[in-house]
Amino acid sequence: MCIRDRTGLDEVVMVWQARLLSHGHLAAPIPVHPEAVLTRLTGIGPIGIIGQFSLGTTLLLVPFVAIGQVALAGPAYGAIGVFCWARLVRRLESHAPTAIGAVLLLAISPFWAIQSTSQLAHVPLTAIICLIGLMLARLFALPSQGRAARWLGVLVGLAAWVRPVEALSAAVPAALMVLWAV
């Protein structure tokens, strides 16, 4: 099995789950012969046939399913990710050539471009983590930090809803920084 086959099945199941959610269903009804529709990424739960991906991951695709343009999900979240990264770098780096280089490094990276063509959650999660960094920067820069702290909590929760283990890579350092500042 090649890696592309595995990624393709991931995307198919995620889009299938997003279509179910867009119609108001958490699961598909169990057919007479469920083995005909089950894959290694789906299973039978108490409410029907379900996919293995978290609701946060598939909810990111629902707006694109609703407009019938699922293929635009990856590029849209890729552009949002580059925008959020540029805002974060602009806040943290005062040397303009270094800041431009850091933004271009992500924007023209072949890996980022390839990931941004898929419907997987890696690119939206990276955008969310960049927003978490931006909220941390605002938290330490603003005289009134309540709003930034609330947004920080919402974004960490959203990241955990999308990919819980990877969200720890942002939540733990963010919590340590906030504790250190307090």
Side-chain angles (χ1 to χ4, degrees):
M1 170 179 64
C2 77
I3 295 202
R4 181 65 200 151
D5 291 341
R6 169 88 176 151
T7 302
L9 184 58
D10 287 0
E11 289 173 325
V12 168
V13 172
M14 287 178 71
V15 171
W16 172 75
Q17 279 184 270
R19 285 194 177 119
L20 283 173
L21 289 174
S22 70
H23 290 99
H25 304 288
L26 291 174
I30 301 171
V32 177
H33 298 287
E35 64 275 2
V37 295
L38 291 175
T39 71
R40 67 178 176 265
L41 301 177
T42 57
I44 297 177
I47 58 174
I49 296 178
I50 56 174
Q52 77 167 16
F53 300 103
S54 69
L55 284 179
T57 300
T58 53
L59 280 174
L60 293 172
L61 293 176
V62 169
F64 297 95
V65 167
I67 63 171
Q69 297 297 325
V70 178
L72 294 179
Y77 288 121
I80 291 169
V82 170
F83 176 76
C84 293
W85 175 245
R87 296 284 309 242
L88 179 60
V89 168
R90 185 173 159 214
R91 268 192 179 271
L92 299 177
E93 180 57 55
S94 60
H95 188 243
T98 304
I100 291 169
V103 173
L104 285 176
L105 189 62
L106 177 64
I108 64 173
S109 164
F111 184 75
W112 184 255
I114 290 167
Q115 285 294 312
S116 295
T117 63
S118 75
Q119 286 85 39
L120 299 176
H122 308 295
V123 172
L125 181 69
T126 303
I128 293 168
I129 289 175
C130 287
L131 278 171
I132 289 171
L134 199 54
M135 283 304 118
L136 274 172
R138 290 186 69 181
L139 185 67
F140 295 122
L142 294 175
S144 170
Q145 293 113 351
R147 188 172 181 197
R150 283 191 295 274
W151 273 110
L152 179 63
V154 167
L155 289 168
V156 168
L158 179 61
W161 206 27
V162 173
R163 293 185 64 97
V165 175
E166 286 83 351
L168 286 173
S169 69
V172 170
L176 291 174
M177 289 175 69
V178 170
L179 284 174
W180 177 73
V182 170

